[in-house]
Each structure stands twice: as C-alpha cells, then as structure tokens.
Amino acid sequence: MKVSVILPVYGVAQYIEKCVQSLLAQTLDDMEFLFVDDHGPDNSIELLQKAIAGSERGDQFRILRPPHNLGAGMARNFAIPEAKGEYIAFVDSDDWVEPTMYEELYGEAKRQDNAEICFCQIMKDYTDGKPSETMSNPSVAAGTFTHDKRAFFLANYVSIFTSYLYRRDLVERHNIRFPEERSADDSFFVSSILLTARSVAHVDKPFYHYIVRPGSVVTTKNSAKYQKRLSVFGHLMQFAKDSGAYGEYKAEVDFLYIKKGCLSSVFNYVYNASESERQPVLEIMAELERQVPDYRENQYYRSRWAVRVLVWLCQKHPRMALCIIALYLKRAHPAV
C-alpha cells in the first residue's frame, strides 16, 4: 500500500462530508483512510458512513474506535500502528485536499529515491469571506537532508504537519508520536521528523486547504493551557538530545524553544486569560533561562529584532508586554 491517511473525527459534522469527498476524489489508487472516532458530540461518524456508502473506494475507508475520547494527537497515535502504507499522512477532518495531492506527493517522493518526507504548500481558507492565503514552507533542494538544508528548514518552517507525507519506517524507527498534552503536539511531531529525516522532497503547489473559522483558534478558554505548550517544547528539547541531534542543531532547537515554546506560550496565556497577570510571564521567562541559559548568544535570536524585543519586554516590563500582545491579538482575532 502506498499511503495511509489518518483523520481524527470529533465534532465536525458541518465539514466532514466535504473532507470525505476530497479523499474519495484522490487520483492515487493504492491508499487507505483511517478515521478515528473520538467520541464526539454530533453525528460526524454517521455522515462519514453515509458519504462513503456505495463508493468504489469505500473499502479503503476504516473507522477505528478507541474506548474513550483521546484528543486529536493521541487519536492519531492510536491509528499509527494500524497504518499499512509506505507513507503516512494526516488530515484534519474539517479541512480538505486537492484531488492530486497524494499522487503528486507520493510520485515526487519516489522520484527522489524514496524521500523520507515530501511536502506541499498550504492554502489557508477563511469562512468569513477573507481572501485565501498561501502558506509556504521553506524551499530546499530535493535529496539528502544536508546540515545546511535541515538547519534552514528548522529555523523557518511552517507548522502545518498535514502538508507532509512521512515514510512510515521513519516514524517507527524513531518512535515519533504526538505528545499527550493537547497543545502544540503538531509542532512537536514535525520538529521531531525534521530532526531525524535523512532525505526530503517537495511539490511547490498548495494542495492542502486549511479552513479557518471565526472563533476556531481554541474551543475552550484555559488560562493554564500555556503550561502544556511549554511542557511539549521541553519534550522536544529532550527528544533532540536523546536522538543525538541536539549537538549538531543546538542553535535551531534552542531557537524553536525561544520562539515556538516560550514566546508562543506567552501569546497563548494572554489569549486564554480573562485578565492577564505578570507572574505567568515571569515563570515562562524563568523556564527559558533554565532550558537555554545562553539564548542571548543564539544566532537566530540575535538576528530577529522582534524576537529580542519581545523577550526583553517579557523579562523587564511584563505588564507592557501583556498590553502589547493583547492589542495584537485583538487585531488578529477581532471576534475574541
């Protein structure tokens, strides 16, 4: 089998039929689609079953049923051992994909000597009428994932893990799974893959449609959620060390921790808190000092003035940082 596509299903009744139709329309033949019933509150699974009924590809669709709700990341973990494809892919069941996505990604991966990862670009579609945007991963030459290519990619990649094909033996060889914390688990997965993959390929087309709905950034406000995000990036630091990649890619992993771990945790806290306080910000900055004590010397940190200013504000003037971030989030998410 060529490709296994894994999809958690939870509360997506409004969107799942379009997602399923886009999978039924795939031009790649030898595939399977593993839907994980995550015990949602609506009739998503019934709509899925109705959509595939009578289809010539219906036998390629399997519904897996864990005993209880797992959350998206752990639901994907539940399905990975069931996958039989050479490559694994992931789709969020409220998104959809272009008909040739997997044929073109699989074909390019095979042309590049069975590249361990192959990615495309992403179309960010808004349901409120805003124009769509293309989200682009860094452009690197196909072939061996050399030190320079990997370093560049780690420092600049877009965290849309659903735009990749992953060789299944790469995932299994390094036992890469989504962390149990329900925050930033996709960033952990992609970063771990990027640290260990030996070869890369890409197709410069936006095959994946990432649907942005008003108010869909989070489903439940939780002012302590940032702690889970910070924990996940602590796991990433440990994975990099355990896999032997940290010594060679210390600058890139440390910068991921600074940017996607600490600063994103501050943004996450402000977004979720009804009234922001300075103490959580100071705790996040203390964790930065603990995990990356020499971060001020990091080449990426030094070259990104906005990152430097935000870290300095969070450390020295946390209340000002909170106000600035709150204003930014209000403009970015006016419905919040």
Side-chain angles (χ1 to χ4, degrees):
M1 185 168 294
K2 295 173 182 175
V3 176
S4 298
V5 182
I6 293 171
L7 307 90
V9 179
Y10 182 91
V12 289
Q14 187 177 350
Y15 305 97
I16 193 166
E17 289 176 279
K18 182 166 186 177
C19 177
V20 171
Q21 291 302 327
S22 76
L23 300 176
L24 288 170
Q26 288 302 299
T27 55
L28 185 66
D29 52 358
D30 193 12
M31 299 182 67
E32 65 175 355
F33 305 94
L34 307 178
F35 289 81
V36 184
D37 179 358
D38 206 20
H39 300 270
D42 61 19
N43 64 334
S44 296
I45 294 297
E46 288 79 3
L47 291 171
L48 159 63
Q49 292 171 321
K50 182 179 178 181
I52 63 175
S55 167
E56 293 180 358
R57 304 189 73 146
D59 60 352
Q60 295 181 347
F61 285 69
R62 295 169 57 198
I63 299 173
L64 308 178
R65 292 186 167 89
H68 54 79
N69 173 262
L70 298 173
M74 298 302 285
R76 297 181 192 109
N77 289 349
F78 184 82
I80 287 173
E82 299 289 330
K84 298 179 175 64
E86 270 185 86
Y87 288 85
I88 293 174
F90 302 97
V91 171
D92 285 340
S93 48
D94 51 354
D95 296 335
W96 63 280
V97 298
E98 294 287 343
T100 63
M101 176 170 174
Y102 296 114
E103 181 179 17
E104 293 200 45
L105 288 178
Y106 179 81
E108 184 61 22
K110 299 299 284 185
R111 278 190 290 274
Q112 300 298 335
D113 296 323
N114 297 309
E116 292 194 322
I117 56 174
C118 186
F119 64 91
C120 63
Q121 312 305 356
I122 307 103
M123 188 63 73
K124 194 173 183 180
D125 295 338
Y126 295 88
T127 60
D128 61 1
K130 287 175 59 178
S132 296
E133 304 172 30
T134 301
M135 302 171 66
S136 298
N137 277 303
S139 179
V140 294
T144 302
F145 216 5
T146 63
H147 177 276
D148 288 348
K149 287 184 198 175
R150 193 191 311 271
F152 177 71
F153 210 98
L154 282 166
N156 296 284
Y157 79 90
V158 176
S159 300
I160 303 294
F161 73 106
T162 47
S163 62
Y164 294 75
L165 283 187
Y166 311 89
R167 272 198 69 88
R168 183 162 59 90
D169 60 4
L170 166 67
V171 175
E172 297 295 6
R173 188 166 68 246
H174 296 282
N175 193 31
I176 298 172
R177 296 293 189 271
F178 294 85
E180 65 182 24
E181 293 91 340
R182 299 187 183 191
S183 180
D185 50 356
D186 54 345
S187 291
F188 174 88
F189 189 90
V190 171
S191 299
S192 300
I193 289 287
L194 293 175
L195 284 167
T196 52
R198 295 174 294 200
S199 53
V200 61
H202 67 94
V203 178
D204 191 20
K205 297 178 184 177
F207 291 132
Y208 191 91
H209 289 262
Y210 170 56
I211 309 302
V212 182
R213 308 188 303 276
S216 67
V217 179
V218 292
T219 54
T220 304
K221 295 275 188 173
N222 179 355
S223 61
K225 191 174 181 180
Y226 75 91
Q227 296 171 342
K228 294 183 177 181
R229 185 177 191 90
L230 207 56
S231 174
V232 165
F233 279 89
H235 296 333
L236 179 61
M237 294 284 282
Q238 193 59 52
F239 177 88
K241 293 170 183 176
D242 292 345
S243 66
Y246 188 67
E248 191 172 358
Y249 298 100
K250 179 182 186 304
E252 290 73 30
V253 175
D254 286 353
F255 186 62
L256 284 173
Y257 189 86
I258 296 166
K259 182 178 68 169
K260 292 180 178 289
C262 290
L263 287 180
S264 288
S265 291
V266 176
F267 276 74
N268 184 272
Y269 166 67
V270 176
Y271 181 86
N272 282 285
S274 54
E275 291 187 20
S276 302
E277 299 179 0
R278 63 194 296 271
Q279 191 56 38
V281 178
L282 295 176
E283 289 173 4
I284 293 168
M285 291 300 107
E287 192 64 12
L288 171 59
E289 294 279 3
R290 188 183 75 82
Q291 289 275 11
V292 193
D294 58 349
Y295 73 88
R296 294 172 184 84
E297 305 306 314
N298 183 279
Q299 67 197 64
Y300 302 103
Y301 174 81
R302 291 169 67 89
S303 66
R304 267 89 160 171
W305 68 267
V307 172
R308 293 201 319 273
V309 169
L310 273 173
V311 170
W312 180 80
L313 282 172
C314 288
Q315 289 181 323
K316 303 298 183 182
H317 303 283
R319 293 193 187 281
M320 184 182 296
L322 290 170
C323 290
I324 292 170
I325 292 170
L327 285 171
Y328 170 81
L329 288 172
K330 189 172 184 179
R331 292 184 65 182
H333 306 291
V336 175

